[in-house]
Amino acid sequence: MLPTLTDLDQFRDLLVNAPGPDSAARAGAEARNGQLTKPPGALGRLEDVAIWYAGWRGDARPRIEAPQVIVFAGNHGVTAQGVSAFPAEVTVQMVMNFEHGGAAINQLARAAGARMDVHALELDRPTQDFTQAPAMTKAELLTALQTGWAAVDPAADLLVVGEMGIGNTTPAAAIAHALYGGTAGDWTGRGTGVDDAGLANKTRVVAEGVARHTSRDGLEVLRCLGGRELAAMAGAIAAARQLRIPVILDGFICTAAAATLAAVAPDALDHAIAGHQSAEGAHGALLAKLGKEALLSLGLRLGEGSGAALAINIVRSAVACHSGMATFAEAGVSDG
Amino acid sequence: MLPTLTDLDQFRDLLVNAPGPDSAARAGAEARNGQLTKPPGALGRLEDVAIWYAGWRGDARPRIEAPQVIVFAGNHGVTAQGVSAFPAEVTVQMVMNFEHGGAAINQLARAAGARMDVHALELDRPTQDFTQAPAMTKAELLTALQTGWAAVDPAADLLVVGEMGIGNTTPAAAIAHALYGGTAGDWTGRGTGVDDAGLANKTRVVAEGVARHTSRDGLEVLRCLGGRELAAMAGAIAAARQLRIPVILDGFICTAAAATLAAVAPDALDHAIAGHQSAEGAHGALLAKLGKEALLSLGLRLGEGSGAALAINIVRSAVACHSGMATFAEAGVSDG
């Protein structure tokens, strides 16, 4: 069962002492994979995905029947710096669109056979502009983490977390720059489509934020440079780990939020796979820092959990092959 | 309606005079795409796929509700040359496995919500060894084309064709070498897993076949160097064009079969998209010759239609976003 989240030190302890995969289930899945009616390795990455999934679920022959998609929304004080091509009012408008079923993620979740939940986090109370102050207080960070932590359905067997928040590629870039160094320009991209001047301004903002907030502790980086929807995604990913629910990471913002957990505990994302490599420029580099390679690369740069939702059926298909195929012996097929 | 296939000249005429996409539906889909609640281009390739699909279906706001997967199986005289790591008896054993639901493609078709059909083409009568004679007579080619042509459900709205045939990467490599030149080694790979000596032998066999059969006409290449399941795939892809059913191409063998149609009529594959780039070495080069880039690249090298089936949900998701999303005006979202 999932413990109640009460304070940041407890959250940190849970990350550091998180459960690992079930090695017996994983070994059982590896043995089964070698007996299935196909040439060795012929299902490519699907084989690795199925074995990984089996280990985390503690079942050598699992099924995926209850995927959950959760979209978290937040607003950002840093939009006062002119970092987005869209006005901040679009965040609440898009939340209404999610609730009415009109957004891309609604269609993608339905096509994936996934339950979808939407959590708007105090949209009328944006975070602080991180060029001026920490984005959140410790209490605000804890509340946002709790929202994500409690949003995960313990009965889910696969989790996608996505986000909506005008301006939120800027905190994501700041988190990546704080955690991994380089220059602000290395991590700053065009988001929903700022022009050259907008990109230069955004890069300045990222550099100023990272220079002002000097702690490189994962949770402090999340608090000072992140945002409520990023913290909620981090909370949900951490809760899924406690529940042994495998996670598909989405794009640049989701991955930056996840990276703060890996900064606290290096294995904190072992139960997560990268669904889609975003067209947002630095996402590939960010995934590389986490040692992950995305399943898909189709040029999406939308957020909302869209790229990860698109990968649900890939993971489900991998597991369906693994668990549903006949063995050579069962099918009476000659084995090479 | 689909005309009955009666002779090879008629088939050739149907390829040359095949219907194109509906330009009004395509234009309508492009206009709709620009109004959906997302930043321009933010769904990446999904947007192109949806517009392409809309044009072929003649519907600016289509749905995918009836995908069909067809697996064709054939046996190859060229296996006498020792080109495969598996014995030829595996073809009929795998057909039984398909019929009993135990193969990878059964699981993948089910996960994609697709109907699946299996057609075994005279497995007890392998084609001729193409190093000695044309693989098929004209009558045999026509029969195989007809099998594929008649296998397509006119009510399907998306088609995947796959294959099973021990030894059939060898005819596929020979087709590619005949159509596109280079050396036999450029197009010959390890298939289900031959060793270095096996690869050298296979390359010799491909070179001998292509040297013996000198016509470079698409249908003659298919007849002399192909096989029954390759011809059936070509027939099904051509029938889908007449029915305006978009096609997802599978791996190296499926793509080689399809390439013979493009050799007859350069636009013959405009209704087809590449689903997955196989780990079989030359598949990427073959797709490049056809001007196609695969949606997925997950290291599969199984055939059966597996890579294409895995892409069904990607195409379905693209179309679902396109047709199901709200416009900015409908959702009351500010447009940038």
Side-chain angles (χ1 to χ4, degrees), chain B residues 171-252:
Chain B
I175 287 171
H177 180 33
L179 294 180
Y180 302 116
T183 67
D186 292 341
W187 301 104
T188 308
R190 292 184 187 272
T192 51
V194 294
D195 59 16
D196 288 352
L199 180 61
N201 177 56
K202 202 170 153 180
T203 305
R204 169 193 64 80
V205 168
V206 168
E208 282 185 25
V210 173
R212 168 182 275 269
H213 306 291
T214 55
S215 170
R216 296 299 173 250
D217 168 74
L219 295 186
E220 273 296 279
V221 167
L222 181 59
R223 181 177 79 81
C224 295
L225 297 167
R228 290 193 177 85
E229 78 279 35
L230 283 87
M233 286 192 285
I237 293 166
R241 175 58 166 268
Q242 298 291 323
L243 295 163
R244 289 173 117 148
I245 300 171
V247 172
I248 309 178
L249 298 177
D250 192 45
F252 185 61

Side-chain angles (χ1 to χ4, degrees), chain A residues 40 89 93 102 298 301 326 334, chain B residues 40 45 89 93 102 298 301 326 334:
Chain A
E89 69 201 30
Q93 292 168 350
L298 291 164
R301 49 177 178 77
S334 305
Chain B
R45 281 194 76 184
E89 70 201 28
Q93 292 168 348
L298 291 163
R301 50 176 177 78
S334 305

Side-chain angles (χ1 to χ4, degrees), chain B residues 13-309:
Chain B
D13 285 348
L14 286 165
L15 286 178
V16 171
N17 300 303
D22 181 325
S23 56
R26 190 184 159 90
E30 281 174 346
R32 176 174 170 75
N33 182 55
Q35 299 163 1
L36 299 175
T37 44
K38 57 175 184 54
L43 283 172
R45 281 194 76 184
L46 297 191
E47 300 184 19
D48 303 328
V49 168
I51 292 164
W52 163 83
Y53 184 87
W56 282 103
R57 294 301 288 166
D59 180 351
R61 200 172 172 178
R63 292 278 180 185
I64 295 177
E65 289 169 342
Q68 182 184 19
V69 173
I70 316 176
V71 183
F72 299 101
N75 271 323
H76 297 266
V78 76
T79 54
Q81 299 287 330
V83 292
S84 178
F86 282 78
E89 70 201 28
V90 167
T91 303
V92 70
Q93 292 168 348
M94 282 300 295
V95 167
M96 302 267 291
N97 198 20
F98 298 143
E99 288 173 350
H100 295 153
I105 188 60
N106 298 94
Q107 324 314 317
L108 294 169
R110 190 178 307 125
R115 155 184 173 170
M116 179 176 148
D117 298 292
V118 182
H119 292 266
L121 290 99
E122 305 187 58
L123 297 186
D124 52 356
R125 218 163 61 81
T127 54
Q128 296 295 307
D129 175 351
F130 68 56
T131 66
Q132 310 297 317
M136 291 175 278
T137 65
K138 288 186 178 180
E140 287 170 337
L141 172 62
L142 181 64
T143 298
L145 287 168
Q146 280 171 327
T147 299
W149 182 266
V152 179
D153 178 359
D157 53 20
L158 186 61
L159 179 68
V160 163
V161 291
E163 46 55 47
M164 176 70 218
I166 292 299
N168 68 6
T169 52
T170 298
I175 287 171
H177 180 33
L179 294 180
Y180 302 116
T183 67
D186 292 341
W187 301 104
T188 308
R190 292 184 187 272
T192 51
V194 294
D195 59 16
D196 288 352
L199 180 61
N201 177 56
K202 202 170 153 180
T203 305
R204 169 193 64 80
V205 168
V206 168
E208 282 185 25
V210 173
R212 168 182 275 269
H213 306 291
T214 55
S215 170
R216 296 299 173 250
D217 168 74
L219 295 186
E220 273 296 279
V221 167
L222 181 59
R223 181 177 79 81
C224 295
L225 297 167
R228 290 193 177 85
E229 78 279 35
L230 283 87
M233 286 192 285
I237 293 166
R241 175 58 166 268
Q242 298 291 323
L243 295 163
R244 289 173 117 148
I245 300 171
V247 172
I248 309 178
L249 298 177
D250 192 45
F252 185 61
I253 300 148
C254 174
T255 307
T260 66
L261 303 178
V264 174
D267 70 354
L269 301 177
D270 286 1
H271 67 308
I273 196 168
H276 175 271
Q277 182 170 324
S278 171
E280 179 71 3
H283 190 219
L286 185 54
L287 288 174
K289 291 290 185 187
L290 295 170
K292 300 198 185 289
E293 188 183 351
L295 290 170
L296 304 174
S297 181
L298 291 163
L300 280 72
R301 50 176 177 78
L302 180 63
E304 302 181 3
S306 56

Side-chain angles (χ1 to χ4, degrees), chain A residues 37-46 63 85-87 89-90 93-94 96-97 101-105 107-108 110-112 192-193 294-302 304 306 309-311 313-314 316-318 320-328 331-336, chain B residues 37-46 63 85-87 89-90 93-94 96-97 101-105 107-108 110-112 192-193 294-302 304 306 309-311 313-314 316-318 320-328 331-336:
Chain A
T37 45
K38 58 174 183 56
L43 283 172
R45 279 195 77 185
L46 298 191
R63 292 276 179 186
F86 283 76
E89 69 201 30
V90 167
Q93 292 168 350
M94 283 300 297
M96 303 266 292
N97 198 21
I105 188 60
Q107 324 314 316
L108 294 169
R110 190 177 308 124
T192 52
L295 290 170
L296 303 173
S297 180
L298 291 164
L300 280 72
R301 49 177 178 77
L302 179 63
E304 303 181 2
S306 55
L310 204 52
N313 192 261
I314 303 291
R316 191 207 303 270
S317 295
C321 284
H322 177 82
S323 296
M325 284 175 70
T327 63
F328 281 104
V333 174
S334 305
D335 182 4
Chain B
T37 44
K38 57 175 184 54
L43 283 172
R45 281 194 76 184
L46 297 191
R63 292 278 180 185
F86 282 78
E89 70 201 28
V90 167
Q93 292 168 348
M94 282 300 295
M96 302 267 291
N97 198 20
I105 188 60
Q107 324 314 317
L108 294 169
R110 190 178 307 125
T192 51
L295 290 170
L296 304 174
S297 181
L298 291 163
L300 280 72
R301 50 176 177 78
L302 180 63
E304 302 181 3
S306 56
L310 205 52
N313 192 262
I314 304 291
R316 191 207 304 268
S317 295
C321 285
H322 177 82
S323 296
M325 283 176 71
T327 63
F328 281 105
V333 174
S334 305
D335 183 3

